[in-house]
Amino acid sequence: MVTDMVCCKTLQGHIGKVCSLDWPPKRNIILSASRDGRLGLSNEPSRLIESMVLNVYRAMKGLFKPKPRTPAELVLQARDLLKFLDQNTETRERKREEKMSELSKVILEIRAVLFGNGQAEPNPDACAHLAQDFFKHDTFRLLILSLPKLDLGARQNATHVIANLQRQRVSGRLIASEYLENNLDLMDILLPGYEDGEIAITYGAILRECIRHQIVARYVLETEHLKKVLTYVQIPNFDIASDALATFKELLTRHKSTVAEFLSVNYDWNKTIVVGMSLGGDTYSVISFFQEYNSQLLESPSYITRRHAVKLLGNMLLDRSNSAVMVRYVSSLDNMRILMNLFRDPNKTMQLETFHVFKLFVANQNKPPEIISVLVTNRSKLLRFLGDFSIDKGDEQFEADKAQVIKEIATLEINDRSCTDAHDCEVES
């Protein structure tokens, strides 16, 4: 055994331990491999040729990198995996986990096509083809149905995919609108999702994306779903209630002409209820919107619900498309009583939002006699409250509005006193 070895030359260039050497018998070349992942080639025993040093990891990665799948291939694989998940026939846990992992990767690839991969922007043609195949083969429905079964990461990616698909245009057409028009029953799946704490926020986000399409908003407004949204707003869970409130706001502010028509038709609770047709051909009824709005939201025991409700009410009434509805609302004594009682809340934000609605009652040039009577009866209380009412930040418009309201109340006169009983006229505020 040879033990007397002398170092003649040192091969330089590696930063890791050299684990292998080789050289041809009759050529002055040495090939070395190191744990630093680099392959060295030298024609001198003491120096590596720098231009010939290769990064093995990068070379191999580029060599074996799989070819990106086309949008059609991604949708096809996603549909097959979603069907497998939906059927739920696999009893082997390991096999099921493999399929779930594969589905998560496919959803991530689809998201990369739609949003880009961080290095390149999304390709419009690829996005359009992916969206077209997604809706054409009903993969959109399968993905929504499978959301509760996905893990958190895959569910978030799927939610982004669903939202993006609804904004994709193919040949100038928003194909999601066409798809949803023929699949409105998906709202029958999404809306009750608020009753499931695990999926409520996810379904709520998707629901708001769907409501961006006018046909969907009209369907929700004109069915029993509207009453359900009102109840979901009052769910004890703060996060779910807030999400439901965001959906409710989107429903009542997104499509102005549709909302104006709905509010006008469903305003008067003293008239016969509106009757329409559901998808199955059965009739359904829509009760008075503002009656429910007042009792369930403005008079809710929850401060958060009341505050958001009165702010949303102001936004609706001040919208020009709802001018006819606004005139009817501010001509109701019952409505004004509710607003005056909201002034009793000590929170300044609540008082400010209430003021923006209350000023509409005072500014109405055709006030009914009963409203004039209540304002006159409560004049001293109202003037005292408004005189002391201020906000932290100076707001010239607010000060101007307040001055006009004070002036209007101070100069009111009763021509035809409708409230013959002073107790009926007086409102604590």
Side-chain angles (χ1 to χ4, degrees), residues 143 147 154-164 202 205-206 209:
L143 187 54
L147 282 172
R155 188 184 299 173
Q156 290 176 341
N157 287 329
T159 303
H160 288 300
V161 166
I162 291 170
N164 187 290
T202 299
I206 296 172
E209 288 295 330

Side-chain angles (χ1 to χ4, degrees), residues 227-282:
K227 289 196 295 183
K228 291 183 179 179
V229 177
L230 281 168
T231 61
Y232 297 148
V233 168
Q234 302 170 73
I235 288 176
N237 183 295
F238 176 79
D239 291 333
I240 297 177
S242 298
D243 194 273
L245 194 58
T247 299
F248 188 61
K249 179 180 179 180
E250 181 76 7
L251 189 61
L252 293 173
T253 56
R254 168 64 62 174
H255 306 284
K256 298 185 183 301
S257 60
T258 299
V259 172
E261 179 185 353
F262 167 78
L263 294 179
S264 179
V265 171
N266 295 281
Y267 180 88
D268 195 344
W269 51 82
N270 293 320
K271 292 185 178 180
T272 305
I273 56 178
V274 178
V275 176
M277 297 299 294
S278 67
L279 289 178
D282 299 327

Side-chain angles (χ1 to χ4, degrees), residues 225-425:
H225 288 313
L226 181 63
K227 289 196 295 183
K228 291 183 179 179
V229 177
L230 281 168
T231 61
Y232 297 148
V233 168
Q234 302 170 73
I235 288 176
N237 183 295
F238 176 79
D239 291 333
I240 297 177
S242 298
D243 194 273
L245 194 58
T247 299
F248 188 61
K249 179 180 179 180
E250 181 76 7
L251 189 61
L252 293 173
T253 56
R254 168 64 62 174
H255 306 284
K256 298 185 183 301
S257 60
T258 299
V259 172
E261 179 185 353
F262 167 78
L263 294 179
S264 179
V265 171
N266 295 281
Y267 180 88
D268 195 344
W269 51 82
N270 293 320
K271 292 185 178 180
T272 305
I273 56 178
V274 178
V275 176
M277 297 299 294
S278 67
L279 289 178
D282 299 327
T283 60
Y284 59 80
S285 62
V286 180
I287 63 173
S288 161
F289 172 77
F290 281 109
Q291 186 183 35
E292 294 296 303
Y293 195 98
N294 290 345
S295 63
Q296 294 196 43
L297 303 184
L298 292 181
E299 296 180 310
S300 168
S302 167
Y303 160 75
I304 296 296
T305 300
R306 293 196 308 273
R307 192 188 76 185
H308 286 289
V310 73
K311 183 176 182 178
L312 177 58
L313 177 63
N315 292 339
M316 286 192 296
L317 297 181
L318 288 169
D319 193 295
R320 289 184 178 181
S321 59
N322 296 327
S323 57
V325 171
M326 184 269 287
V327 171
R328 296 177 69 179
Y329 190 88
V330 301
S331 297
S332 166
L333 176 59
D334 289 336
N335 293 340
M336 191 178 75
R337 286 182 187 276
I338 293 173
L339 268 296
M340 290 175 70
N341 282 324
L342 287 175
F343 274 138
R344 301 170 64 186
D345 194 300
N347 185 277
K348 283 291 183 69
T349 302
M350 173 69 81
Q351 293 175 351
L352 180 61
E353 298 298 346
T354 301
F355 172 78
H356 288 314
V357 180
F358 177 73
K359 68 184 181 184
L360 301 177
F361 289 87
V362 179
N364 182 14
Q365 297 302 304
N366 296 305
K367 301 181 193 66
E370 61 269 27
I371 284 184
I372 295 176
S373 297
V374 169
L375 290 175
V376 171
T377 302
N378 293 272
R379 180 169 14 220
S380 60
K381 291 181 180 180
L382 287 169
L383 293 179
R384 184 169 60 252
F385 169 78
L386 292 171
D388 296 336
F389 184 36
S390 62
I391 56 178
D392 295 334
K393 296 180 180 180
D395 186 330
E396 294 182 1
Q397 185 61 53
F398 165 74
E399 294 297 336
D401 289 345
K402 188 179 78 167
Q404 186 61 38
V405 169
I406 290 174
K407 179 182 177 181
E408 184 70 25
I409 294 175
T411 57
L412 277 176
E413 294 182 2
I414 301 178
N415 295 322
D416 179 15
R417 187 177 178 85
S418 296
C419 288
T420 56
D421 189 335
H423 176 73
D424 291 336
C425 290

Side-chain angles (χ1 to χ4, degrees), residues 98-115:
E98 289 177 358
K99 292 289 186 181
M100 289 291 289
S101 176
E102 192 175 350
L103 177 59
S104 297
K105 292 177 182 178
V106 173
I107 293 174
L108 186 59
E109 282 189 63
I110 292 173
R111 176 175 176 171
V113 172
L114 294 172
F115 290 93

Side-chain angles (χ1 to χ4, degrees), residues 127-142:
C127 292
H129 283 113
L130 192 147
Q132 195 168 23
D133 286 344
F134 226 91
F135 289 113
K136 179 180 178 181
H137 300 293
D138 216 18
T139 310
F140 189 83
R141 175 186 292 272
L142 285 172

